[in-house]
């Protein structure tokens, strides 16, 4: 036991306290800073690896318990901040200046709620204080502007000595670029692969993203040109695969997952969307409309995490149509809680990968 209450003794009692996900000492990782002692009052800053840390309260509690072992301590105040780590660079990929982590949200087939998951995860991360961007890479069916309440927004194009630069639209704490800003509402995009590849690269490298902790890329369904372009262009922190419990959706989800693995993109996990239906007039009941347990079984078989299960609720659809995502419009709903938990889990896995 230490006889003196000073900065050194505070660091020593905190040394055994670990980040539960990284399994490394907070002190050794320089996550304890700005120690101040005023009589029996001890304060310091805890710098987490993501503002969306799901174990934040547990870490703070462990720190307070450790410091209170010191003689003369009457109160421990912990200020929590975060510094999201930069994803590791790759020699054959070009990163985006200022963007720390690029994540793909993808699906094997359409209609499984991939964009709903991508939009709500982006907003949930922004709610934690993270700087978040959303790239709508579904060039043929861009729905993210509507879901973010930006259906009538315009994306500004500026001419610079280095060429045209796009300024993303912004709402609910998220920066967004989308093909939906560049075409009329009813105008179809009838392009072959090279043109699609070109606009995705433009959205990656010719947008004024500035500083971002996370750039979420909402992919089109399937395993085509857009997925190949993204995986080959930028160093990716990982991919999230969205599916429903239905067998036909799971079959395609497996193919999408294997494609990212073959491209050496880490799989962050599977999200089972539309897991069950909650009737609004009977919120205590649930119905497995698309089956049950498919996401969990597939995750186990493929050796990847199940990030969470999101129920079907009418409020989710209303939020998407009205441009107010459910994590904003109804944060206490089962769907919002599930989506927020998924966002926190994704952030944790990204930080662990960057620091190990």
């Amino acid at each position: 036991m230490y006889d003196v209450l000073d900065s050194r003794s505070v660091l020593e009692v905190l040394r055994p306290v670990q980040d539960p996900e990284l399994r490394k000492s907070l002190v050794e990782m320089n996550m304890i800073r700005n120690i101040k002692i005023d009589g029996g009052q001890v304060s310091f800053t805890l710098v987490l690896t993501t503002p969306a840390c799901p174990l934040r309260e547990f870490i703070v509690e462990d720190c307070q318990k450790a410091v209170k072992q010191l003689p003369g301590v009457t109160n421990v105040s912990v200020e929590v901040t975060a510094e999201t780590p930069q994803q590791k660079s790759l020699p054959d990929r070009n990163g985006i200046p200022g963007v720390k982590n690029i994540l793909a949200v993808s699906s094997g087939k359409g209609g499984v709620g991939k964009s709903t998951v991508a939009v709500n995860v982006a907003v949930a991360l922004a709610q934690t204080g993270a700087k978040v961007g959303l790239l709508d890479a579904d060039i043929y069916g861009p729905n993210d502007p509507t879901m973010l309440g930006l259906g009538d927004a315009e994306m500004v194009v500026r001419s610079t000595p280095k060429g045209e630069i796009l300024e993303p639209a912004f709402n609910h704490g998220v920066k967004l670029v989308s093909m939906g800003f560049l075409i009329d509402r009813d105008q179809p995009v009838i392009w072959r692969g090279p043109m699609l590849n070109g606009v995705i690269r433009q959205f990656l490298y010719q947008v004024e993203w500035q500083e971002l902790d996370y750039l979420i890329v909402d992919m089109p369904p399937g395993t085509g040109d857009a997925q190949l372009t993204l995986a080959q262009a930028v160093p990716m922190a990982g991919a999230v695969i969205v599916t429903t419990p239905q067998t036909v959706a799971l079959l395609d989800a497996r193919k999408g997952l294997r494609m990212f693995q073959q491209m050496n993109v880490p799989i962050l996990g599977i999200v089972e969307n539309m897991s069950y239906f909650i009737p609004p007039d009977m919120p205590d009941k649930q119905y497995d409309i698309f089956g049950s347990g498919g996401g969990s079984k597939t995750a186990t078989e493929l050796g990847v995490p199940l990030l969470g299960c999101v129920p079907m609720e009418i409020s989710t659809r209303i939020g998407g149509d009205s441009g107010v995502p459910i994590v904003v419009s109804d944060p206490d709903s089962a769907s919002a809680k599930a989506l927020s938990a998924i966002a926190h889990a994704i952030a944790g896995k990204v930080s662990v990968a960057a620091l190990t």
Side-chain angles (χ1 to χ4, degrees), residues 175-197:
K175 296 179 180 180
L176 172 68
V177 294
S178 172
M179 194 66 189
F181 294 134
L182 304 176
I183 58 175
D184 294 333
R185 186 183 297 271
D186 297 328
Q187 180 182 344
V189 177
I190 308 172
W191 285 353
R192 294 189 184 275
M195 294 184 69
L196 179 136
N197 296 346

Side-chain angles (χ1 to χ4, degrees), residues 106-109 112 223 241-244 246-260 270-271 298 302:
S106 192
S107 65
K109 66 186 286 94
V112 299
T223 56
I241 308 298
V242 180
T243 183
T244 67
Q246 192 174 2
T247 300
V248 292
L250 290 164
L251 289 172
D252 290 338
R254 297 171 75 105
K255 296 182 180 70
L257 188 151
R258 291 300 191 199
M259 181 213 68
F260 280 111
I270 291 175
V271 172
T298 300
L302 298 179

